[in-house]
Amino acid sequence: MHLQQVHSHCSTRIITGTGADLVLAADATVLVQYDAAAARWRVVGGSGSGGGGTTVTVQTITASTTLPGWTRIAKVNTATGNTIITLPTAVGFTGQSITVIKTATDTNSVTIVGSAGQTINGATNLVLSTVNDSVVLTSDGSNVLISSDNRSS
């Protein structure tokens, strides 16, 4: 996969987070999510590159919780009620990301809050309300930025 090549069409350009091309080993996988704001595909996980890739934890959540760390995908099932996801501290984790996805078709919501008063794009929280709503959140070292927003409302 080539990183944002000038001669490539924007629909095939990717953001790896490392600023370099991504080399996949045989049978390796990569998880990408389209970032409409950047008009690029963003690497959000995978099995690694064979050259020492980052391991992404995939976590299924069914009740309010504090996430134990960064570099994860949190699949939130709200079938039992509204769910609050508290992010881990952003301090010391610059550039690391968390993807949060609402997986249930119900009317319950996922509310995401920062750790100890840390903000998400300057706000105290954000809400996922519809099935398949998702956000990619990235630590800036002191607070959290929304690097990809795929909410329907």
Side-chain angles (χ1 to χ4, degrees):
M1 301 180 97
H2 294 288
L3 175 72
Q4 302 188 55
Q5 294 289 324
V6 174
H7 61 274
S8 66
H9 187 272
C10 66
S11 66
T12 61
R13 296 179 187 168
I14 64 166
I15 299 171
T16 64
T18 65
D21 287 351
L22 181 64
V23 179
L24 296 177
D27 297 323
T29 61
V30 65
L31 177 62
V32 294
Q33 182 173 32
Y34 191 71
D35 182 342
R40 302 283 188 274
W41 288 95
R42 184 176 300 279
V43 175
V44 296
S47 68
S49 63
T54 300
T55 300
V56 176
T57 300
V58 178
Q59 179 178 1
T60 299
I61 297 169
T62 57
S64 295
T65 191
T66 298
L67 296 178
W70 289 85
T71 315
R72 72 184 51 247
I73 298 170
K75 300 181 339 180
V76 185
N77 183 330
T78 54
T80 59
N82 293 324
T83 305
I84 299 172
I85 302 298
T86 303
L87 300 173
T89 184
V91 176
F93 295 96
T94 302
Q96 293 192 34
S97 296
I98 294 174
T99 301
V100 181
I101 305 166
K102 178 181 172 8
T103 60
T105 58
D106 54 46
T107 59
N108 297 321
S109 64
V110 178
T111 301
I112 305 167
V113 297
S115 173
Q118 294 171 356
T119 61
I120 303 169
N121 269 29
T124 57
N125 65 60
L126 65 85
V127 177
L128 307 179
S129 56
T130 305
V131 66
N132 296 324
D133 277 1
S134 66
V135 290
V136 179
L137 305 169
T138 303
S139 167
D140 70 1
S142 58
N143 287 292
V144 179
L145 303 172
I146 300 173
S147 51
S148 179
D149 190 343
N150 298 295
R151 291 179 284 172
S152 58
S153 54

